[in-house]
Amino acid sequence: MFKPHVTVACVVHSQDKFLVVEETINGKALWNQPAGHLEADETLLQAAERELWEETGIRATPQSFLRMHQWVAPDNTPFLRFAFVIELVTILPTQPHDSDIDRCLWLTADEILHAPNLRSPLVAESIRCYLQPERYSLDLISTFNWPH
């Protein structure tokens, strides 16, 4: 049976900047959106909120659904990545609670799109999707008979 990894990502935007997290993997500083795996007993929205808080210290709820990407990583790991949009009025200070995160950065779309150190091509693709006008209601990914 095919069992892709399910992940969530938050495209956090404020004052023409986007929030990225930096983590060191195999000795290289890589950039990603606040993102991570869906855990047991949580909804996709709960996972997005949890990952945002763990990786940045910011508590916020996504306002819209951006895109779902089905992707196969270079190591042949299959993923379903659900990306959400969080619009903040002001740029907030960050304080990662996840020891894997070295720091958080507020960057322009151009800085991200041209960065040589993205964790995956989905980081840039999420920014490109954000720059398009389409946003989707969070109702699109609602739960059904959710027991928790």
Side-chain angles (χ1 to χ4, degrees):
M1 174 185 272
F2 180 66
K3 294 183 181 180
H5 292 248
V6 177
T7 61
V8 296
C10 297
V11 177
V12 182
H13 178 256
S14 182
Q15 300 175 344
D16 295 325
K17 303 265 181 156
F18 294 89
L19 182 60
V20 297
V21 297
E22 183 178 271
E23 55 192 325
T24 303
I25 300 175
N26 297 323
K28 185 174 182 186
L30 300 177
W31 293 349
N32 196 5
Q33 274 98 18
H37 284 86
L38 176 68
E39 300 291 338
D41 302 331
E42 69 182 356
T43 66
L44 291 166
L45 279 175
Q46 289 168 337
E49 290 175 359
R50 176 185 51 76
E51 288 291 346
L52 179 68
W53 183 81
E54 287 177 2
E55 295 192 356
T56 71
I58 294 173
R59 290 198 187 274
T61 299
Q63 291 105 358
S64 59
F65 177 60
L66 183 61
R67 190 74 51 97
M68 191 279 293
H69 289 101
Q70 185 174 352
W71 182 63
V72 178
D75 68 358
N76 288 322
T77 303
F79 285 90
L80 296 177
R81 186 179 198 251
F82 293 82
F84 298 92
V85 173
I86 296 176
E87 294 285 351
L88 300 175
V89 176
T90 60
I91 291 176
L92 297 176
T94 58
Q95 181 180 8
H97 298 277
D98 182 333
S99 61
D100 290 337
I101 303 302
D102 299 326
R103 64 182 178 151
C104 301
L105 303 161
W106 287 95
L107 303 170
T108 66
D110 248 15
E111 290 172 308
I112 297 167
L113 293 172
H114 295 100
N117 62 325
L118 300 180
R119 178 153 184 199
S120 87
L122 286 177
V123 177
E125 182 60 19
S126 294
I127 298 300
R128 284 190 285 275
C129 291
Y130 176 90
L131 296 173
Q132 300 300 313
E134 293 88 18
R135 300 286 184 280
Y136 303 97
S137 169
L138 294 174
D139 293 339
L140 190 65
I141 54 160
S142 65
T143 58
F144 176 75
N145 286 341
W146 187 248
H148 304 287

